[in-house]
Amino acid sequence: MGKIKSAVITAIVTLATLALFLFGVVSCALPGGVNRYNSILANIHLGSELSGDAYAVLLPDGVITAEEYDFTVAEDSEGTAGDKAEEYKETYVAAPGGSFYVEQALLDNLTTDGNADTAAERQAAFSALAAKVYSDSDILAERFGDRNLTSYSVGVLGSYAIRVAVPTNFTYAAYSGDNTNARQQDFNTASTAISYLTLGGELTLRNNDYGVRDRVSAAETASGATTVTRNILGAAYKVEDIIKSASYYAMGGSYAVKITLTENGREQISRLSAIIADTEQSSDQTIRFYVGEQSIINLTCDSQITGSSFYIQVSDEATARNYASLLDSVATGNALEYVYSYDEVIYASAAGGENTAMFVAIAAVVVLAALIVFSAIRYRALGLTFSLIAVLFSGVMIAVTYLMGFTLTVAGVFTAIMCLMLFAGSNFFSFEQIRKESDAGRTIQAAVKQGYKKTLSGILDLHIVLLVISVILALVCTGTAAGCGLMLLIGTLASYVLHWFTRFMWYVTMGPARDKYKFCGFSREAFDEDE
């Protein structure tokens, strides 16, 4: 290849690589100091170990914390208790452990005779309450697990409350305060997931006009509302006998909840949707999905539903996943025993500290810098060519992670670093084989050809094995493991493709060099011909 052509190609690739890398990792204030450019890396969502959790403490109706009880019954400086002090003293009983108080009426409902007066009956009622709370925590764990989060936690506090936590998924720009709007949006998304997935009560299908049973919420009754929603299923039917499953569905940027019906459900929904779709029989053409007294999602019946499944479109991915996880749980008979409430969703910073994300990024940069220094020392100008492609590899991984919408976790970062090491190892393996061929007396051109030929099988086998592993992880696992599988898949593909691009760039950049051996950092006795 001519010197001019080599120089032009090298300049183009170098400028494109540096531009991708700089836009990928460098954030800076824009002229004027008002706006700021946040890099591609700064706009990738981070897992909980990098950006923290959003959590809430759920209390069953009829259970309060000891702090609330003590605050209500406490006397002020004049020795006067609050207005509700006597009511609380008469209504609530201290639970074992002293951290919670439980309504006497709730304990009475947990006894066989409806009266928990004796110490033994109260103890049995407290045990029954704790058992139901633990059972509900298991159901919540399944819901959050189905939500496809990178991580989550569900735990029982003091036997009578449940703590749930989900990742905030802040981008680094939001986490560091450089994008406050995105921070609030991400936190709202996490809070919404908690609010929906912790809803208690059974699933009912309702309509404002047609139905076999009237349903009116306590809030509607208190406000004097005249609108009554009606359960469209008769008392002989349970929702779990009608709906087989609910699942998340996405296609072409649209998101929906897919409802799959049982054979009996297909018949009933076909019959009921025909009635509701008929404007002469019903003025409301909507089937409303309620969990407890909370309206979740609506299906508009323009015509009769005859299939074994149907789709309800929603606005975004997070909403579709929330609805699908909740509806699948309650439709398959896993409704919560109690209705839970919480004061607020609270932010908890990353377990490893506020600077965990920065330290992980520094670790990745150190690995990249170490590879660049090693390759430059070991292979001279060829090492610089490899370094350029290593920087390109890093930029590609950052860009693809952003474009694919991945949530970056510590495990994901180290998977990406492992892929970078795979790329480096593949190239160094080929380089060393070429060195051996050169030492055997071959010209550089012949040594390169033979070296790549001899290492092809090993490199190809290694990449195929890793591809299979990555596909299995992505398809079989969930959460962090699935994310690592996708990261490994992308990194392995990028490693193999750029391995051959490195060979091409070696050919391009070596062209103008007078001493090919010195360019590659090889030393050998002079040979004029191949062996």
Side-chain angles (χ1 to χ4, degrees):
M1 181 177 291
K3 292 183 179 181
I4 295 178
K5 185 179 291 185
S6 296
V8 170
I9 294 176
T10 301
I12 292 174
V13 172
T14 301
L15 290 175
T17 299
L18 293 178
L20 174 63
F21 191 76
L22 290 176
F23 278 105
V25 301
V26 177
S27 300
C28 60
L30 296 176
V34 178
N35 297 317
R36 179 180 178 84
Y37 169 73
N38 291 310
S39 66
I40 298 173
L41 184 60
N43 282 293
I44 295 175
H45 290 276
L46 307 176
S48 60
E49 66 268 53
L50 296 175
S51 65
D53 283 325
Y55 76 91
V57 176
L58 313 177
L59 295 172
D61 284 352
V63 178
I64 61 173
T65 62
E67 289 80 1
E68 180 182 348
Y69 180 87
D70 293 339
F71 177 81
T72 304
V73 302
E75 296 180 350
D76 58 22
S77 58
E78 297 179 356
T80 303
D83 296 337
K84 294 186 177 181
E86 291 302 321
E87 177 185 342
Y88 269 48
K89 290 178 181 179
E90 294 176 0
T91 302
Y92 289 97
V93 178
S99 298
F100 300 96
Y101 280 75
V102 181
E103 280 186 343
Q104 180 65 48
L106 177 56
L107 296 176
D108 291 341
N109 290 334
L110 293 169
T111 60
T112 55
D113 60 359
N115 199 342
D117 287 340
T118 67
E121 289 174 332
R122 283 185 177 177
Q123 182 59 44
F126 279 121
S127 298
L129 173 60
K132 291 179 182 293
V133 171
Y134 274 98
S135 176
D136 281 349
S137 72
D138 292 337
I139 294 174
L140 289 175
E142 291 181 5
R143 291 183 184 180
F144 282 97
D146 292 341
R147 176 58 177 76
N148 197 35
L149 299 165
T150 54
S151 64
Y152 65 92
S153 65
V154 178
V156 177
L157 301 179
S159 299
Y160 308 104
I162 301 175
R163 183 186 186 275
V164 297
V166 298
T168 55
N169 285 346
F170 290 149
T171 63
Y172 186 76
Y175 183 61
S176 61
D178 291 331
N179 191 335
T180 55
N181 290 333
R183 182 184 180 92
Q184 188 60 51
Q185 291 173 1
D186 292 336
F187 191 75
N188 288 343
T189 299
S191 301
T192 301
I194 292 176
S195 67
Y196 275 109
L197 297 181
T198 59
L199 283 175
E202 297 182 348
L203 176 64
T204 53
L205 307 182
R206 307 185 190 181
N207 183 269
N208 287 340
D209 186 50
Y210 172 83
V212 295
R213 288 179 289 166
D214 290 350
R215 296 294 298 262
V216 58
S217 68
E220 289 172 332
T221 302
S223 64
T226 57
T227 300
V228 177
T229 57
R230 292 172 174 158
N231 193 336
I232 65 174
L233 295 178
Y237 297 103
K238 295 181 179 179
V239 172
E240 53 263 37
D241 298 329
I242 303 296
I243 298 178
K244 185 177 182 179
S245 66
S247 57
Y248 163 78
Y249 178 84
M251 178 65 72
S254 297
Y255 305 96
V257 177
K258 179 182 179 182
I259 305 295
T260 303
L261 304 171
T262 64
E263 188 60 35
N264 185 31
R266 180 179 179 178
E267 296 175 1
Q268 294 301 317
I269 293 299
S270 176
R271 178 181 62 84
L272 293 168
S273 62
I275 296 173
I276 292 174
D278 186 350
T279 56
E280 294 183 359
Q281 299 187 64
S282 176
S283 60
D284 179 15
Q285 275 65 60
T286 304
I287 297 178
R288 308 176 190 278
F289 290 69
Y290 275 72
V291 174
E293 295 305 324
Q294 175 68 47
S295 177
I296 302 300
I297 195 171
N298 298 329
L299 170 65
T300 301
C301 294
D302 296 324
S303 59
Q304 182 181 17
I305 298 172
T306 58
S308 59
S309 64
F310 56 85
Y311 300 85
I312 307 177
Q313 190 169 349
V314 297
S315 59
D316 55 73
E317 178 184 0
T319 301
R321 291 191 181 277
N322 289 338
Y323 289 172
S325 179
L326 173 63
L327 294 176
D328 187 64
S329 178
V330 292
T332 54
N334 288 322
L336 298 179
E337 184 70 31
Y338 293 114
V339 174
Y340 291 83
S341 61
Y342 55 89
D343 290 335
E344 61 179 334
V345 176
I346 303 171
Y347 169 69
S349 60
E354 294 183 357
N355 296 319
T356 302
M358 182 182 297
F359 292 150
V360 171
I362 291 173
V365 171
V366 168
V367 171
L368 178 60
L371 287 175
I372 291 174
V373 171
F374 171 81
S375 62
I377 294 174
R378 179 71 173 169
Y379 302 110
R380 306 293 176 85
L382 172 61
L384 297 179
T385 299
F386 164 79
S387 299
L388 177 66
I389 310 305
V391 171
L392 177 61
F393 176 91
S394 302
V396 168
M397 291 295 290
I398 291 171
V400 172
T401 299
Y402 171 74
L403 293 174
M404 297 292 289
F406 294 158
T407 298
L408 200 59
T409 63
V410 171
V413 172
F414 283 103
T415 300
I417 292 175
M418 186 185 75
C419 292
L420 175 61
M421 299 302 293
L422 170 67
F423 168 72
S426 299
N427 281 281
F428 294 162
F429 180 43
S430 295
F431 293 171
E432 290 304 314
Q433 184 61 43
I434 294 167
R435 183 191 294 275
K436 292 179 182 179
E437 296 296 323
S438 175
D439 290 343
R442 297 184 185 278
T443 64
I444 283 294
Q445 289 81 0
V448 169
K449 182 177 181 180
Q450 192 67 16
Y452 271 99
K453 182 178 180 180
K454 287 187 175 181
T455 58
L456 173 61
S457 177
I459 291 174
L460 183 60
D461 289 347
L462 176 60
H463 282 78
I464 289 175
V465 169
L466 291 176
L467 280 176
V468 172
I469 293 173
S470 66
V471 170
I472 292 174
L473 286 174
L475 295 180
V476 175
C477 299
T478 59
T480 300
C484 288
L486 289 172
M487 186 68 73
L488 181 60
L489 175 64
I490 293 170
T492 302
L493 290 173
S495 171
Y496 190 74
V497 171
L498 292 180
H499 171 77
W500 295 104
F501 188 66
T502 304
R503 179 183 178 178
F504 169 74
M505 288 304 300
W506 183 354
Y507 169 72
V508 170
T509 55
M510 186 177 61
R514 292 184 177 181
D515 189 337
K516 312 298 184 186
Y517 298 98
K518 186 177 181 181
F519 177 89
C520 303
F522 296 169
S523 60
R524 62 185 286 272
E525 296 180 5
F527 286 89
D528 294 330
E529 300 291 340
D530 292 347
E531 290 186 343

